[in-house]
Every structure is written in C-alpha cells, then in structure tokens.
C-alpha cells in the first residue's frame, strides 16, 4: 500500500468523523446519567423519587463490592507487605476508593457533574470548618472511636491521669465513664483519642499483676520465694496454675511465680508475677496476698525479715581518729567518766549531765 493511498483513507475517515464543539459535548457525568437512566424501565421513571432509589441502590452495591474486593485482594496484599498494619491500611484505602467511586456513580444518576461536586464540596467545607469546627472535630473523632473500637460499653479502662472506671456510654460527641469512686466523667471524643487509655477487659479479663517485696540479705531467699508463691496461690481471685497464658507471641506461666529481681541497697528485691481472674478489684487482691505473705513469714521457722531503709556505721582500726572539741574544751572535759555518771544518777539535779 502506497503512502498516497494511506493518506486518502485517513482523509476519508476524518471527513466521516462527526465534529463537535465544547458546548455540544456532554460531560462524563451527564453521559453516565443517561446510561443509568437507560437501564431503568420507563414505567419506573414515572414514579417520584426513582433517581434517589437508584442512587441508594448504587451506594449499597458499592459497599458490598468494596467488601468483595477487599476479600479477594486480602491475601495478595498480606503477602506483599510484611507488616500487618501496613497491609490493613492498604486494604482500607482500596475499600474507601471503591466506595467513593460508587458515590460518584450514584451522583451521576442526578446528572451531577464533577465541577459541581468540587464547587459544592469546597464551599460546604469552608462554611463548616469556620462555624462548626469544634463540633465537627468531636463528631469526626467519635466516628473514629466507633470504628476503631478501643473500648466498648462495660469495659474497665484507665486514663493517663489515673482515673479508672467503666465505660457507661459512647456517642458521636463524647464518652461517658463511670469511675470506681462513684462519679461520672464526660470525655469529649476530640480529646479521648489523644490520651493513653488502658483497657483491662477488652478481650480477656485476666490481668497479669506485679508485687514487689524487699527482704533482708540475711533472709532465706528460697523459702521466701516459696512462701510468697504459696500466698498468691491460696487467694481465691488469683489463677492457681494451668497451661501457660499467651500474650502475643509470648507465653507466661499461669501459676504465681516469684523472681529474684535485684540486689538492692537495703535488701534483696523479690518480684511476684501473678494473674488475677478479673481486673475489677486489683487493690483487694493485692491486699489479700500481702496479708497472707506476712502471716506465712511469721509462722515460718526460717530466717525471714522484711527489709527497710537503714544504715550501719562500722568503726575499726582502719577508720582512723577524729579530734572533737566543744567550745574550746576537750572531749574528756565534756563527757564524764563512768564514776561521774553513777554520781550524776544519784543526784537528781545532775541526771541530765
């Protein structure tokens, strides 16, 4: 085929191609709206609100489609990214993208163009951001709290300020907490997401607690450790034993275990790790264990003493001598000898000498 013949064919094709001006061309959204309308029977188009029903149906289909896409891509994405958190973020982004696409298609049922969506969204966001910024912030954080589910109603939580209690109510704007001191705390969701919240009863109510006990260096350490473990095992609110309890990828003994923690300044520090069946009365459980430990120490024949801060001053031949005087007088002139002490004891006027 010669070049002249090719040119002739291209010229004929261009002559047969309809030319349209920008004003006559339809936008993508308008074409999409006509396409969706063509799928709906004419008798349904005669009913009021059929466009709204069509848009709602498209949104519902988009939500289910997003779940299906995430389910299909879940395993490949998990293999692609080693960190589970990154894989979850990627899957969430895919799901949001599918939902947003379905929203754009649903707006196409109303023949809404993309410039209209952009202008409306810009104006609406500016007005809301200026007038309702604090409320919108709490609402958005409330949605994140409801979606992330850091706690649920009935869970026992502890705030970074030390307050501990139960979650009573979760709304879009605030979280209501019923403290152990029989008082209510109303926490805005805009601030609760910025605070450290410890959840004691999210999935497993068993809580691993720690008790530090300081004994003297002269004590029988092995006997002390055995008695401390026995004191915890005899408490009704403590798990006595059983298979190891798993936390993440680690496993810890279920029975109370006493460790030699540290050779401290004033004694040997023993650390008891034990599992409480429920986290609701931690102080009560700890008090019972400490009371039982004191009783077992007193009943034992071994040398067992609780240590406390104290110091011993030792003077020997290597300590040297010190020259001490009071108001220019020597030590012998100020401190009486043994004979003078006896005389002073018999004389009431000189007993304080």
């Amino acid at each position: 085929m010669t070049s002249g013949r090719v040119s002739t064919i291209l010229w004929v094709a261009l002559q047969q191609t309809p030319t349209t001006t920008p004003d006559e061309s339809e936008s993508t959204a308008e074409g999409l709206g006509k396409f969706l309308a063509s799928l709906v029977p004419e008798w349904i188009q005669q009913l009021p609100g059929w466009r709204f029903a069509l848009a709602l149906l498209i949104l519902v289909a988009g939500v289910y489609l997003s779940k299906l896409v995430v389910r299909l891509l879940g395993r490949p994405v998990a293999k692609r990214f080693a960190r589970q958190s990154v894989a979850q973020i990627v899957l969430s982004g895919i799901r949001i993208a599918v939902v947003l696409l379905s929203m754009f298609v649903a707006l196409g049922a109303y023949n809404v163009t993309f410039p209209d969506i952009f202008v409306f969204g810009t104006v609406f966001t500016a007005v809301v951001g200026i007038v309702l910024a604090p409320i919108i912030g709490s609402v958005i954080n409330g949605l994140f709290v409801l979606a992330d589910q850091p706690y649920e109603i009935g869970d026992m939580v502890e705030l970074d300020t030390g307050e501990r209690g139960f979650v009573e109510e979760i709304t879009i704007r605030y979280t209501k907490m019923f403290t152990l001191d029989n008082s209510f705390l109303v926490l805005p969701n805009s601030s609760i997401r910025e605070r450290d919240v410890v959840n004691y009863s999210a999935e497993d109510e068993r809580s691993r607690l720690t008790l530090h006990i300081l004994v003297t260096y002269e004590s029988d350490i092995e006997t002390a450790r055995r008695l401390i473990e026995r004191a915890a095992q005899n408490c009704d609110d403590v798990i006595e034993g059983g298979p190891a309890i798993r936390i993440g990828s680690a496993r810890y003994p279920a029975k109370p275990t006493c460790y030699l923690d540290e050779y401290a300044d004033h004694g040997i520090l023993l650390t008891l790790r034990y599992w409480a069946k429920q986290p609701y009365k931690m102080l009560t459980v700890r008090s019972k264990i400490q009371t039982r430990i004191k009783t077992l120490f007193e009943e034992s024949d071994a040398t067992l003493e609780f240590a406390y801060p104290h110091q011993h001053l030792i003077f020997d031949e290597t300590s040297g001598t010190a020259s001490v005087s009071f108001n220019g007088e020597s030590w012998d002139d100020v401190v009486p000898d043994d004979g003078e002490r006896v005389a002073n004891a018999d004389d009431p006027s000189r007993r304080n000498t």
Side-chain angles (χ1 to χ4, degrees):
M1 183 179 294
T2 62
S3 58
R5 191 174 180 180
V6 172
S7 301
T8 303
I9 294 175
L10 291 176
W11 182 83
V12 173
L14 291 174
Q15 291 295 326
Q16 294 179 354
T17 303
T19 58
T20 57
T21 62
D23 296 336
E24 296 174 353
S25 63
E26 297 177 348
S27 64
T28 304
E30 292 175 348
L32 179 61
K34 290 184 177 181
F35 173 75
L36 295 175
S38 65
L39 300 177
V40 180
E42 294 183 0
W43 65 272
I44 295 180
Q45 296 182 16
Q46 302 299 325
L47 299 176
W50 70 273
R51 292 184 181 273
F52 175 78
L54 178 61
L56 183 61
L57 180 62
I58 294 174
L59 286 177
V60 173
V63 172
Y64 281 98
L65 179 62
S66 66
K67 294 181 180 179
L68 179 60
V69 172
V70 170
R71 185 177 301 177
L72 294 176
L73 299 179
R75 184 171 296 179
V77 172
K79 292 181 179 179
R80 176 64 179 81
F81 300 95
R83 295 180 57 183
Q84 183 179 0
S85 59
V86 177
Q88 291 179 352
I89 292 176
V90 173
L91 292 176
S92 299
I94 295 175
R95 184 173 182 178
I96 293 174
V98 174
V99 173
L100 291 177
L101 180 61
S102 65
M103 292 177 60
F104 179 77
V105 176
L107 291 175
Y110 285 92
N111 294 327
V112 179
T113 62
F114 181 77
D116 295 336
I117 299 175
F118 180 78
V119 172
F120 175 77
T122 303
V123 175
F124 180 78
T125 303
V127 173
V128 170
I130 295 175
V131 179
L132 302 176
I135 299 177
I136 296 301
S138 297
V139 171
I140 293 176
N141 284 280
L143 293 176
F144 278 106
V145 169
L146 294 176
D148 298 338
Q149 296 181 351
Y151 46 78
E152 290 293 341
I153 296 176
D155 288 349
M156 182 178 180
V157 298
E158 181 178 355
L159 303 179
D160 52 1
T161 54
E163 290 91 351
R164 185 183 301 175
F166 298 91
V167 178
E168 182 72 14
E169 183 181 0
I170 303 175
T171 66
I172 295 296
R173 295 189 299 106
Y174 63 86
T175 298
K176 184 182 291 186
M177 174 180 169
F178 189 73
T179 67
L180 300 181
D181 297 331
N182 197 24
S183 60
F184 274 109
L185 285 179
V186 179
L187 307 171
N189 290 330
S190 58
S191 63
I192 193 66
R193 295 186 66 248
E194 300 176 356
R195 308 175 67 172
D196 295 331
V197 180
V198 180
N199 194 334
Y200 288 100
S201 55
E203 298 178 358
D204 192 348
E205 292 186 346
R206 296 174 300 182
S207 300
R208 194 166 187 239
L209 305 178
T210 302
L211 178 61
H212 299 289
I213 301 171
L214 191 66
V215 298
T216 60
Y217 279 93
E218 294 77 17
S219 300
D220 189 345
I221 303 302
E222 293 302 324
T223 302
R225 294 175 60 184
R226 185 173 63 254
L227 294 180
I228 291 173
E229 293 176 353
R230 185 190 305 174
Q233 292 174 353
N234 293 337
C235 184
D236 297 334
D237 299 322
V238 176
I239 299 177
E240 298 181 3
I245 299 176
R246 180 177 179 180
I247 301 180
S249 59
R251 296 181 180 273
Y252 298 94
K255 66 177 182 179
T257 306
C258 185
Y259 301 93
L260 198 159
D261 193 347
E262 181 184 357
Y263 292 102
D265 294 336
H266 305 290
I268 298 178
L269 181 63
L270 302 179
T271 300
L272 174 67
R273 301 301 303 270
Y274 62 96
W275 288 89
K277 297 178 181 179
Q278 293 179 340
Y280 307 126
K281 297 182 179 180
M282 296 182 181
L283 182 59
T284 303
V285 175
R286 186 175 63 184
S287 178
K288 290 180 180 180
I289 295 176
Q290 293 187 121
T291 303
R292 184 61 179 166
I293 290 174
K294 186 175 185 301
T295 302
L296 292 177
F297 275 24
E298 293 176 350
E299 294 176 354
S300 177
D301 296 334
T303 303
L304 300 173
E305 295 181 358
F306 294 102
Y308 56 91
H310 62 281
Q311 293 180 345
H312 291 285
L313 301 179
I314 301 176
F315 297 93
D316 53 14
E317 62 277 1
T318 63
S319 301
T321 59
S323 177
V324 181
S325 62
F326 295 90
N327 296 328
E329 298 178 355
S330 64
W331 179 263
D332 295 335
D333 295 335
V334 175
V335 180
D337 56 12
D338 295 339
E340 291 179 349
R341 291 181 184 274
V342 175
N344 293 339
D346 296 336
D347 188 356
S349 62
R350 302 180 63 187
R351 286 180 181 176
N352 295 329
T353 303

